[in-house]
Amino acid sequence: MRVFVTGASGWIGSAVTDELLAHGHKVVGLARSDAAAAALDAKGATVHRGGLDDPDGLAAAAAAADGVIHLAFNHDFSDYAGAGRTEHAAVRGMLDALAGGDRPFLLASGLASDVAGRPLTEDDPSPHHGVDSMRGGSENLALSYADQGVRPVALRFSPTVHGMGDHGFTAWLTRIAKEHGAAGYIGDGSTRWAAVHRSDAARMVRLALEKAPAGSRMHAVAETGIPSRDIAAAIGRSLGLPTVSVAPDDAAAHFGWIARFFGMDVTATNTRTRELLDWTPTGPTLLEDIAAGAYRLAE
């Protein structure tokens, strides 16, 4: 397949690009910068220059492809509502371009939900609807095209997609531990994060492109939920620092912007994903990656 991939040079996207190319697919990768374009060209991917703020250009690239994997998102926490509106317009443009062709559209999403007291499952719908909701309501927007000749699939990624070189949430927690001289968790540390290794996530995306039915939600989850105190303890051991509890009222001052996310209980299962895709995670666990030094050099 000729696959248009947004975010193709990012942390998850670069692994997905490698996975697709290794299995005979052709990749057209969206590149906003010269560095991203060079990295994609070196892999053997075709480069499409542009950004998420150009829905017409994205639609043209989607129309010329056999399928789309949309992994990019503008993580601008200073204007998250604006980022959501940009996302909504970009997704709608690509979906309209694909309509009627029975082509796949895979969309990166998250595990945030209104489910309480149990892990999120693939049967649980997203509570976010409309352009003014989280991420522009893009998951529900995409899935609504299942009856318009598109094969939409929601890719729900764990809050930490980990591995050597990861610069995401766990890397930020490591930087904060270095700054404070201690690895912290909030309150009693009972809140949990689902996790998946980057290689497992990339393989799941490729299998979803090839197998996932229209309207499905796939969970890039290997570990249902790791307590935040265990994550902090692993970071502390890796850095040779103590582990401390941070009172909820002091969390924002201690952790900064990531306090909101570290204090969330984000758990999910992967049963339906494993069954539909014949997918079994095989990569290291998050705590194993931390112990191996994946985040020791985080700046």
Side-chain angles (χ1 to χ4, degrees):
M1 295 177 68
R2 178 182 171 90
V3 188
F4 176 48
V5 182
T6 73
S9 61
W11 170 243
I12 298 173
S14 58
V16 169
T17 295
D18 291 342
E19 176 76 13
L20 293 174
L21 291 172
H23 286 81
H25 298 290
K26 297 178 181 179
V27 174
V28 178
L30 181 68
R32 186 175 53 185
S33 67
D34 291 342
L40 289 169
D41 184 67
K43 291 175 182 284
T46 300
V47 175
H48 177 89
R49 293 301 296 261
L52 295 183
D53 56 353
D54 178 19
D56 291 339
L58 296 174
D66 298 317
V68 173
I69 300 176
H70 176 46
L71 302 175
F73 183 75
N74 179 18
H75 290 91
D76 182 2
F77 293 106
S78 67
D79 185 16
Y80 205 68
R85 290 190 291 272
T86 297
E87 171 76 352
H88 188 94
V91 169
R92 184 176 290 282
M94 289 186 282
L95 286 165
D96 286 343
L98 293 173
D102 293 320
R103 289 173 287 178
F105 179 84
L106 279 61
L107 169 94
S109 187
L111 298 173
S113 74
D114 56 2
V115 172
R118 62 169 175 80
L120 187 74
T121 76
E122 294 93 335
D123 291 329
D124 292 315
S126 166
H128 307 298
H129 295 268
V131 65
D132 294 321
S133 63
M134 183 178 290
R135 296 181 73 105
S138 57
E139 178 178 314
N140 283 313
L141 172 63
L143 295 184
S144 73
Y145 275 69
D147 60 356
Q148 298 186 43
V150 181
R151 179 163 62 89
V153 178
L155 306 171
R156 291 174 169 176
F157 290 99
S158 298
T160 178
V161 180
H162 55 88
M164 295 291 176
D166 176 21
H167 55 270
F169 284 171
T170 304
W172 274 101
L173 293 173
T174 303
R175 295 186 191 102
I176 292 166
K178 289 180 177 180
E179 292 172 3
H180 289 277
Y185 56 86
I186 300 173
D188 65 0
S190 62
T191 56
R192 298 158 295 170
W193 273 358
V196 66
H197 191 268
R198 180 184 182 222
S199 62
D200 289 323
R203 183 159 44 87
M204 190 215 75
V205 172
R206 192 258 305 169
L207 290 170
L209 175 74
E210 297 170 350
K211 299 182 179 183
S216 57
R217 309 175 188 92
M218 300 288 95
H219 282 188
V221 171
E223 299 178 88
T224 296
I226 309 163
S228 56
R229 60 176 173 269
D230 292 350
I231 296 172
I235 292 172
R237 286 193 298 270
S238 175
L239 301 176
L241 296 174
T243 304
V244 298
S245 171
V246 177
D249 289 345
D250 299 328
H254 182 96
F255 292 102
W257 66 269
I258 202 172
R260 173 188 171 194
F261 300 99
F262 199 36
M264 294 174 66
D265 196 51
V266 185
T267 65
T269 62
N270 65 10
T271 303
R272 181 66 61 84
T273 303
R274 291 170 67 119
E275 291 174 349
L276 283 176
L277 303 183
D278 192 23
W279 173 70
T280 301
T282 59
T285 66
L286 174 60
L287 300 189
E288 287 171 345
D289 260 348
I290 295 172
Y295 300 95
R296 199 170 294 137
L297 299 179
E299 295 296 336

mmCIF file of all heavy atoms in Angstrom, residues 4 6 30 48-61 86-87 89-91 93-94:
data_model
loop_
_atom_site.group_PDB
_atom_site.id
_atom_site.type_symbol
_atom_site.label_atom_id
_atom_site.label_comp_id
_atom_site.label_asym_id
_atom_site.label_seq_id
_atom_site.Cartn_x
_atom_site.Cartn_y
_atom_site.Cartn_z
ATOM 1 N N PHE A 4 0.010 7.468 3.325
ATOM 2 C CA PHE A 4 0.361 8.825 3.746
ATOM 3 C C PHE A 4 0.398 8.850 5.267
ATOM 4 O O PHE A 4 -0.596 8.520 5.924
ATOM 5 C CB PHE A 4 -0.657 9.831 3.204
ATOM 6 C CG PHE A 4 -0.422 11.244 3.660
ATOM 7 C CD1 PHE A 4 0.840 11.823 3.586
ATOM 8 C CD2 PHE A 4 -1.470 12.011 4.139
ATOM 9 C CE1 PHE A 4 1.057 13.138 3.999
ATOM 10 C CE2 PHE A 4 -1.272 13.329 4.549
ATOM 11 C CZ PHE A 4 -0.004 13.896 4.471
ATOM 12 N N THR A 6 1.194 11.179 8.612
ATOM 13 C CA THR A 6 1.535 12.433 9.271
ATOM 14 C C THR A 6 2.266 12.098 10.572
ATOM 15 O O THR A 6 2.038 11.054 11.173
ATOM 16 C CB THR A 6 0.291 13.282 9.579
ATOM 17 O OG1 THR A 6 -0.437 12.694 10.673
ATOM 18 C CG2 THR A 6 -0.618 13.393 8.361
ATOM 19 N N LEU A 30 4.629 13.191 5.893
ATOM 20 C CA LEU A 30 4.489 14.641 6.036
ATOM 21 C C LEU A 30 5.715 15.191 6.756
ATOM 22 O O LEU A 30 6.102 14.692 7.811
ATOM 23 C CB LEU A 30 3.224 14.965 6.832
ATOM 24 C CG LEU A 30 2.926 16.453 7.057
ATOM 25 C CD1 LEU A 30 2.572 17.140 5.746
ATOM 26 C CD2 LEU A 30 1.781 16.620 8.066
ATOM 27 N N HIS A 48 6.364 14.593 1.680
ATOM 28 C CA HIS A 48 5.319 15.573 1.353
ATOM 29 C C HIS A 48 5.506 16.744 2.308
ATOM 30 O O HIS A 48 5.297 16.605 3.518
ATOM 31 C CB HIS A 48 3.920 14.965 1.526
ATOM 32 C CG HIS A 48 2.807 15.949 1.274
ATOM 33 N ND1 HIS A 48 2.263 16.149 0.026
ATOM 34 C CD2 HIS A 48 2.143 16.794 2.110
ATOM 35 C CE1 HIS A 48 1.318 17.060 0.098
ATOM 36 N NE2 HIS A 48 1.226 17.465 1.356
ATOM 37 N N ARG A 49 5.936 17.892 1.791
ATOM 38 C CA ARG A 49 6.184 19.048 2.645
ATOM 39 C C ARG A 49 4.865 19.732 2.999
ATOM 40 O O ARG A 49 3.983 19.922 2.154
ATOM 41 C CB ARG A 49 7.108 20.041 1.939
ATOM 42 C CG ARG A 49 8.525 19.544 1.717
ATOM 43 C CD ARG A 49 9.225 19.188 3.022
ATOM 44 N NE ARG A 49 9.410 20.308 3.896
ATOM 45 C CZ ARG A 49 10.557 21.008 4.007
ATOM 46 N NH1 ARG A 49 11.621 20.654 3.277
ATOM 47 N NH2 ARG A 49 10.661 22.007 4.850
ATOM 48 N N GLY A 50 4.741 20.095 4.286
ATOM 49 C CA GLY A 50 3.543 20.787 4.728
ATOM 50 C C GLY A 50 3.342 20.635 6.223
ATOM 51 O O GLY A 50 4.220 20.146 6.943
ATOM 52 N N GLY A 51 2.197 21.075 6.695
ATOM 53 C CA GLY A 51 1.882 21.011 8.110
ATOM 54 C C GLY A 51 0.407 20.786 8.337
ATOM 55 O O GLY A 51 -0.394 20.743 7.383
ATOM 56 N N LEU A 52 0.021 20.672 9.610
ATOM 57 C CA LEU A 52 -1.373 20.416 9.943
ATOM 58 C C LEU A 52 -2.280 21.614 9.689
ATOM 59 O O LEU A 52 -3.505 21.469 9.639
ATOM 60 C CB LEU A 52 -1.489 19.995 11.413
ATOM 61 C CG LEU A 52 -0.817 18.674 11.803
ATOM 62 C CD1 LEU A 52 -1.079 18.375 13.272
ATOM 63 C CD2 LEU A 52 -1.320 17.532 10.931
ATOM 64 N N ASP A 53 -1.675 22.781 9.523
ATOM 65 C CA ASP A 53 -2.469 23.983 9.277
ATOM 66 C C ASP A 53 -2.786 24.177 7.798
ATOM 67 O O ASP A 53 -3.251 25.248 7.393
ATOM 68 C CB ASP A 53 -1.745 25.213 9.824
ATOM 69 C CG ASP A 53 -0.345 25.375 9.248
ATOM 70 O OD1 ASP A 53 0.118 24.470 8.521
ATOM 71 O OD2 ASP A 53 0.301 26.398 9.552
ATOM 72 N N ASP A 54 -2.557 23.137 6.992
ATOM 73 C CA ASP A 54 -2.854 23.186 5.557
ATOM 74 C C ASP A 54 -3.778 22.027 5.201
ATOM 75 O O ASP A 54 -3.353 21.027 4.620
ATOM 76 C CB ASP A 54 -1.555 23.109 4.747
ATOM 77 C CG ASP A 54 -1.794 23.110 3.236
ATOM 78 O OD1 ASP A 54 -2.899 23.519 2.816
ATOM 79 O OD2 ASP A 54 -0.884 22.692 2.493
ATOM 80 N N PRO A 55 -5.063 22.119 5.553
ATOM 81 C CA PRO A 55 -5.973 20.994 5.300
ATOM 82 C C PRO A 55 -6.112 20.640 3.828
ATOM 83 O O PRO A 55 -6.306 19.479 3.486
ATOM 84 C CB PRO A 55 -7.309 21.470 5.895
ATOM 85 C CG PRO A 55 -7.186 22.950 6.023
ATOM 86 C CD PRO A 55 -5.737 23.236 6.247
ATOM 87 N N ASP A 56 -5.984 21.629 2.942
ATOM 88 C CA ASP A 56 -6.088 21.323 1.514
ATOM 89 C C ASP A 56 -4.905 20.473 1.052
ATOM 90 O O ASP A 56 -5.075 19.523 0.279
ATOM 91 C CB ASP A 56 -6.148 22.616 0.701
ATOM 92 C CG ASP A 56 -7.456 23.383 0.897
ATOM 93 O OD1 ASP A 56 -8.446 22.755 1.312
ATOM 94 O OD2 ASP A 56 -7.467 24.600 0.646
ATOM 95 N N GLY A 57 -3.700 20.803 1.524
ATOM 96 C CA GLY A 57 -2.530 20.012 1.174
ATOM 97 C C GLY A 57 -2.602 18.606 1.740
ATOM 98 O O GLY A 57 -2.222 17.638 1.071
ATOM 99 N N LEU A 58 -3.115 18.484 2.958
ATOM 100 C CA LEU A 58 -3.280 17.164 3.567
ATOM 101 C C LEU A 58 -4.307 16.345 2.785
ATOM 102 O O LEU A 58 -4.121 15.141 2.562
ATOM 103 C CB LEU A 58 -3.736 17.312 5.020
ATOM 104 C CG LEU A 58 -2.756 17.988 5.979
ATOM 105 C CD1 LEU A 58 -3.420 18.198 7.343
ATOM 106 C CD2 LEU A 58 -1.481 17.169 6.141
ATOM 107 N N ALA A 59 -5.377 16.992 2.374
ATOM 108 C CA ALA A 59 -6.421 16.292 1.614
ATOM 109 C C ALA A 59 -5.873 15.790 0.279
ATOM 110 O O ALA A 59 -6.190 14.674 -0.151
ATOM 111 C CB ALA A 59 -7.610 17.220 1.389
ATOM 112 N N ALA A 60 -5.042 16.592 -0.363
ATOM 113 C CA ALA A 60 -4.466 16.182 -1.643
ATOM 114 C C ALA A 60 -3.562 14.965 -1.461
ATOM 115 O O ALA A 60 -3.591 14.027 -2.269
ATOM 116 C CB ALA A 60 -3.681 17.340 -2.255
ATOM 117 N N ALA A 61 -2.769 14.964 -0.394
ATOM 118 C CA ALA A 61 -1.886 13.824 -0.125
ATOM 119 C C ALA A 61 -2.708 12.585 0.208
ATOM 120 O O ALA A 61 -2.374 11.468 -0.210
ATOM 121 C CB ALA A 61 -0.933 14.152 1.014
ATOM 122 N N THR A 86 -7.463 23.039 14.811
ATOM 123 C CA THR A 86 -6.587 22.690 13.692
ATOM 124 C C THR A 86 -6.686 21.199 13.388
ATOM 125 O O THR A 86 -6.761 20.788 12.223
ATOM 126 C CB THR A 86 -5.129 23.054 14.028
ATOM 127 O OG1 THR A 86 -5.022 24.465 14.204
ATOM 128 C CG2 THR A 86 -4.180 22.618 12.919
ATOM 129 N N GLU A 87 -6.712 20.393 14.438
ATOM 130 C CA GLU A 87 -6.823 18.944 14.280
ATOM 131 C C GLU A 87 -8.136 18.566 13.603
ATOM 132 O O GLU A 87 -8.163 17.740 12.683
ATOM 133 C CB GLU A 87 -6.725 18.275 15.653
ATOM 134 C CG GLU A 87 -7.028 16.788 15.687
ATOM 135 C CD GLU A 87 -5.898 15.926 15.153
ATOM 136 O OE1 GLU A 87 -4.932 16.486 14.610
ATOM 137 O OE2 GLU A 87 -5.987 14.695 15.274
ATOM 138 N N ALA A 89 -10.046 20.310 11.585
ATOM 139 C CA ALA A 89 -10.052 20.685 10.177
ATOM 140 C C ALA A 89 -9.166 19.762 9.350
ATOM 141 O O ALA A 89 -9.533 19.375 8.229
ATOM 142 C CB ALA A 89 -9.594 22.136 10.021
ATOM 143 N N ALA A 90 -8.000 19.402 9.893
ATOM 144 C CA ALA A 90 -7.086 18.513 9.175
ATOM 145 C C ALA A 90 -7.708 17.137 8.973
ATOM 146 O O ALA A 90 -7.656 16.567 7.873
ATOM 147 C CB ALA A 90 -5.771 18.396 9.945
ATOM 148 N N VAL A 91 -8.320 16.601 10.026
ATOM 149 C CA VAL A 91 -8.923 15.273 9.951
ATOM 150 C C VAL A 91 -10.099 15.267 8.988
ATOM 151 O O VAL A 91 -10.243 14.365 8.149
ATOM 152 C CB VAL A 91 -9.339 14.795 11.359
ATOM 153 C CG1 VAL A 91 -10.209 13.543 11.277
ATOM 154 C CG2 VAL A 91 -8.105 14.532 12.212
ATOM 155 N N GLY A 93 -10.629 17.211 6.453
ATOM 156 C CA GLY A 93 -10.150 17.344 5.090
ATOM 157 C C GLY A 93 -9.654 16.026 4.520
ATOM 158 O O GLY A 93 -9.967 15.670 3.366
ATOM 159 N N MET A 94 -8.893 15.282 5.312
ATOM 160 C CA MET A 94 -8.381 13.999 4.836
ATOM 161 C C MET A 94 -9.499 12.975 4.685
ATOM 162 O O MET A 94 -9.520 12.197 3.721
ATOM 163 C CB MET A 94 -7.291 13.495 5.780
ATOM 164 C CG MET A 94 -6.003 14.287 5.694
ATOM 165 S SD MET A 94 -4.638 13.599 6.686
ATOM 166 C CE MET A 94 -5.114 14.152 8.326
#
